[in-house]
C-alpha cells in the first residue's frame, strides 16, 4: 500500500484524540440516535470543548487557526466509525467558511465563537421542494423593507435543520436577475415567522437530523446579509469545491472501513468447510476493492494537498466528489454481497453504511451534475 505522507505527527496526535472522543462519546449512543432521528445536543458542546469544531477559524474568534487537514481528520474518523448522524463537517467546513469569508466583522464576532464552542449548531438552507442541484431555480425571496429583509419561502432536506440555531438561507433578492439575483442571509432559529417542519424519515443516515424549514414574513436586519446582495450564487460557487472535497474524504473513509469489516467477516465466516475469504471469487473481489480504494485514496489525498495550497479548482473537486461517492456505493454493495444474508441485517455496520452511502451520489450536487461540470471544463 502507498503510505500517506500528507499528515504530520501533530495531525496524527489529533486523530488519536478524535478517535478516542468518538469511541467514548458517540459510538455507544449512535443506535439510539438513529431511533430518535437526531444526535444529542450535548455532543456538540463536548466536541467544542475537545477542539473538534471549526478548528480552522482564526484565534481572533477563538479558533485554533489550524489547517484543513484537522477538519479532514474529523471527517475521516467519523466515516471510519460509521457515525453518519454527526453533522460536524457541514457546520465547520461549509457554514463557518461562509461567515468567515463573507460576513461583516460584527457578524463574525457575534457568531463564530459560538460555532467553535458548539453553543450554536448551524445549517445551510439551499434545497427547496422544486430546486435541488439547480440552485438558480430557488424560489425563496428576500425583499428589502427599510432596514430589514423580509424572507418568504420553504426549504427541504436540510441537514442539521432540526437542531440548528443559525441557518444560512439562500434567497432571491432580485427574482428577475437569475443567478445574479441570489443572496445569502443569516437567520436565527428563534426569529418570528421561522418554523421547522418535521424531521424527514430517510432510507439511511437515520441519526442525522434532516428537516423542512419554513419562512413566513421572517424579518432579519439588513446587516445579516453575507457579502453583497446579488452575489450569493458566486459565493456558493466559490465555496462548493471544499464542500465537495469533504464529501469525497468521507466517502473514501467509509469505503476503507467497509473493506476492513468485510476482510474480518470473510476470514471468520465459513461455507462449504472453509473460510469465505479462501474462495477465489471472494479474493478477487477483495483485491479489486482494495486496488480501487487505493487509487481513490491517492487522488483524494492529492486534492487535499492542492486545497492546502489554495489550488484545488472546481473541476478537480467535482471529479473527487463524483469518483469517490460512486466508488463508495460500489464498494459498499460488494461488501454487503460478501456478507451474505447478514449484510442485510441492520445490526451489522455494513448494512447501515450501505444504506447511508447511497445519498452521497445525490447531495452536494448530483453526480450527473458533476459530470456536466467536468464536461464543460474539457
Amino acid at each position: 500500500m502507498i503510505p500517506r505522507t500528507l499528515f504530520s505527527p501533530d495531525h496524527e496526535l489529533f486523530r488519536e484524540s478524535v478517535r478516542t472522543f468518538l469511541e467514548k462519546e458517540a459510538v455507544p449512543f449512535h443506535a439510539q440516535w438513529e431511533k430518535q432521528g437526531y444526535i444529542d445536543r450535548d455532543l456538540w458542546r463536548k466536541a467544542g470543548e475537545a477542539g473538534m469544531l471549526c478548528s480552522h477559524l482564526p484565534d481572533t474568534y477563538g479558533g485554533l487557526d489550524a489547517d484543513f487537514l484537522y477538519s479532514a481528520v474529523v471527517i475521516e474518523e467519523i466515516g471510519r466509525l460509521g457515525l453518519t448522524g454527526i453533522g460536524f463537517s457541514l457546520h465547520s467546513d461549509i457554514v463557518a467558511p461562509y461567515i468567515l469569508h463573507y460576513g461583516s466583522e460584527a457578524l463574525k464576532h457575534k457568531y463564530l465563537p459560538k460555532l467553535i464552542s458548539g453553543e450554536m449548531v448551524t445549517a445551510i438552507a439551499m434545497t427547496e421542494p422544486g430546486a435541488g442541484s439547480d440552485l438558480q431555480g430557488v424560489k425563496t425571496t428576500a425583499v428589502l423593507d427599510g432596514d430589514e429583509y423580509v424572507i418568504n419561502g420553504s426549504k427541504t432536506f436540510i441537514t442539521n435543520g432540526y437542531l440548528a440555531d443559525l441557518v444560512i438561507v439562500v434567497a432571491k433578492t432580485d427574482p428577475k436577475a437569475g443567478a445574479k439575483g441570489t443572496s445569502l442571509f443569516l437567520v436565527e432559529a428563534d426569529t418570528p415567522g421561522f418554523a421547522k417542519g418535521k424531521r424527514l424519515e430517510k432510507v439511511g443516515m437515520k441519526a442525522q437530523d434532516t428537516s423542512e424549514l419554513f419562512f413566513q414574513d421572517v424579518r432579519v436586519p439588513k446587516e445579516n446579509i453575507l457579502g453583497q446582495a446579488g452575489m450569493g450564487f458566486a459565493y456558493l460557487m466559490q465555496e462548493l469545491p471544499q464542500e465537495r472535497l469533504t464529501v469525497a474524504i468521507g466517502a473514501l473513509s467509509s469505503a476503507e472501513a467497509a473493506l476492513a469489516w468485510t476482510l474480518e467477516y470473510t476470514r471468520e465466516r465459513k461455507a462449504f468447510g472453509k473460510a469465505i475469504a479462501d474462495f477465489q471469487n471472494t479474493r478477487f473481489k477483495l483485491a479489486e476493492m482494495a486496488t480501487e480504494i487505493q487509487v481513490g485514496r491517492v487522488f483524494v489525498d492529492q486534492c487535499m494537498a492542492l486545497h492546502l495550497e489554495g489550488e484545488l479548482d472546481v473541476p478537480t473537486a467535482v471529479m473527487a466528489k463524483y469518483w469517490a461517492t460512486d466508488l463508495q456505493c460500489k464498494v459498499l454493495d460488494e461488501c454487503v454481497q460478501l456478507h451474505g444474508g447478514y449484510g442485510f441485517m441492520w445490526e451489522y455496520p455494513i448494512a447501515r453504511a450501505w444504506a447511508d452511502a447511497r445519498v452521497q451520489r445525490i447531495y452536494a450536487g448530483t453526480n450527473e451534475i458533476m459530470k456536466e461540470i467536468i464536461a464543460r471544463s474539457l
Side-chain angles (χ1 to χ4, degrees), residues 98-108 110-111 141-151 166-174 180-188 219-233 235:
Y98 280 105
I99 301 174
L100 177 67
H101 296 154
Y102 310 112
S104 65
E105 279 303 315
L107 290 175
K108 286 188 271 193
K110 181 178 181 180
Y111 292 120
T141 59
V143 178
L144 187 61
D145 181 24
D147 291 332
E148 297 176 317
Y149 277 96
V150 183
I151 300 174
L166 182 69
V167 180
I168 295 177
V169 179
V170 180
K172 286 289 182 67
T173 42
D174 185 355
K180 294 181 180 180
T182 305
S183 303
L184 309 180
F185 297 89
L186 288 177
V187 182
E188 293 189 26
R219 289 182 170 271
V220 297
K222 64 180 182 181
E223 291 80 14
N224 276 34
I225 195 168
L226 291 176
Q228 299 176 21
M231 291 295 292
F233 193 77
Y235 299 153

Side-chain angles (χ1 to χ4, degrees), residues 99-259:
I99 301 174
L100 177 67
H101 296 154
Y102 310 112
S104 65
E105 279 303 315
L107 290 175
K108 286 188 271 193
H109 281 284
K110 181 178 181 180
Y111 292 120
L112 292 181
K114 295 179 181 179
L115 270 62
I116 293 165
S117 68
E119 181 182 345
M120 272 191 154
V121 175
T122 61
I124 183 165
M126 297 189 205
T127 303
E128 298 182 358
S133 293
D134 178 17
L135 292 176
Q136 296 186 50
V138 163
K139 301 297 184 186
T140 297
T141 59
V143 178
L144 187 61
D145 181 24
D147 291 332
E148 297 176 317
Y149 277 96
V150 183
I151 300 174
N152 281 282
S154 63
K155 302 288 183 177
T156 193
F157 308 147
I158 307 305
T159 301
N160 294 348
Y162 176 71
L163 289 177
D165 306 289
L166 182 69
V167 180
I168 295 177
V169 179
V170 180
K172 286 289 182 67
T173 42
D174 185 355
K176 297 178 182 178
K180 294 181 180 180
T182 305
S183 303
L184 309 180
F185 297 89
L186 288 177
V187 182
E188 293 189 26
D190 59 0
T191 307
F194 179 12
K196 297 175 179 179
K198 63 182 180 181
R199 292 194 309 280
L200 301 173
E201 189 172 352
K202 307 184 297 297
V203 170
M205 303 187 92
K206 293 180 179 293
Q208 184 188 86
D209 66 282
T210 307
S211 296
E212 301 168 318
L213 303 178
F214 301 98
F215 306 88
Q216 183 172 355
D217 296 329
V218 174
R219 289 182 170 271
V220 297
K222 64 180 182 181
E223 291 80 14
N224 276 34
I225 195 168
L226 291 176
Q228 299 176 21
M231 291 295 292
F233 193 77
Y235 299 153
L236 291 168
M237 295 304 102
Q238 189 71 26
E239 298 299 324
L240 278 172
Q242 177 164 298
E243 177 178 351
R244 286 162 178 161
L245 177 59
T246 64
V247 175
I249 293 166
L252 255 295
S253 186
S254 170
E256 288 171 337
L259 179 60

